[in-house]
Amino acid sequence: MTHVVRVAVVFHSGYGHTRKQAEAVHAGAGSVMGVQSTLVPVEDVDAHWDHLDHADAIIFGAPTYMGSASAPFKAFMDASAQTVFARGAWKDKVAAGFTNAASRSGDKLNTLQQLAIFAAQQGMHWVNLGLPPGHNNSTSNEDSMNRHGYFLGAAAQSDADVNADQGATAADLKTSAYLGARVARVALQLAAGRSELAKTVLTV
């Protein structure tokens, strides 16, 4: 039987804007054939630790508040010390990250670095965005993917005074979906490689 690759998108959203971004990441991952994607709000993570243990890839997402990941997401990171880190349960899984802030920069890079370090502590393999800067010359515009020019993960900007449905731009959501699909493809490649290696070991 063909192994179904599982991707989990673990996120916190304070006002709904980052949830829209998480949904885009989730949709991108689920669009890849052979991949099942699941959304996991950090508020519900206690019911999903076992699911995360069996995921092939975990994509982390949090809004950037005061220069770092939000407090509820940090609480999830801290809780993983006992539930995951102590057992090395996520070692060699694929990881990636995304964040959202009201400001165009808003120190979002610091949050992405925080997520990447967290993944490294868990022994995971970090996947970058894999897109060139989208809006960095006179012929480009705000509709470009990766319009903010981030490389480590997907970054979105949402105006603080609008509701979530009007928050992130179509370009930012498309960029986030691209990240989800990229992670799914990498997870598929690793799963296929491990399957072939297992066959080689069995025949030796």
Side-chain angles (χ1 to χ4, degrees), residues 12-15 18 60-75 77-78 98-103 105-118 150:
H12 171 249
S13 182
Y15 300 96
T18 309
F60 305 110
T64 296
Y65 292 160
M66 302 305 292
S68 68
S70 59
F73 193 89
K74 184 59 168 63
M77 293 169 65
D78 292 346
F98 60 93
T99 188
N100 178 70
S103 299
S105 175
D107 295 316
K108 289 194 283 279
L109 177 59
N110 189 56
T111 298
L112 291 174
Q113 290 173 328
Q114 187 178 19
L115 299 179
I117 291 171
F118 172 63
Y150 283 80

Side-chain angles (χ1 to χ4, degrees), residues 56-178:
D56 297 278
I58 306 175
I59 307 175
F60 305 110
T64 296
Y65 292 160
M66 302 305 292
S68 68
S70 59
F73 193 89
K74 184 59 168 63
F76 153 72
M77 293 169 65
D78 292 346
S80 74
Q82 295 298 322
T83 58
V84 179
F85 179 77
R87 298 181 293 115
W90 294 352
K91 182 177 173 60
D92 293 332
K93 294 183 185 298
V94 176
F98 60 93
T99 188
N100 178 70
S103 299
R104 181 174 288 270
S105 175
D107 295 316
K108 289 194 283 279
L109 177 59
N110 189 56
T111 298
L112 291 174
Q113 290 173 328
Q114 187 178 19
L115 299 179
I117 291 171
F118 172 63
Q121 290 174 325
Q122 303 286 4
M124 305 173 79
H125 302 301
W126 186 265
V127 175
N128 58 52
L129 180 59
L131 283 173
H135 186 23
N136 65 351
N137 60 70
S138 61
T139 63
S140 60
N141 56 54
E142 289 294 322
D143 294 328
S144 305
M145 290 177 65
N146 195 22
R147 65 189 179 112
H148 306 295
Y150 283 80
F151 296 95
L152 194 58
Q157 182 267 330
S158 300
D159 292 337
D161 59 346
V162 299
N163 63 42
D165 289 334
Q166 299 172 312
T169 67
D172 287 351
L173 295 180
K174 187 176 180 181
T175 300
S176 299
Y178 181 92

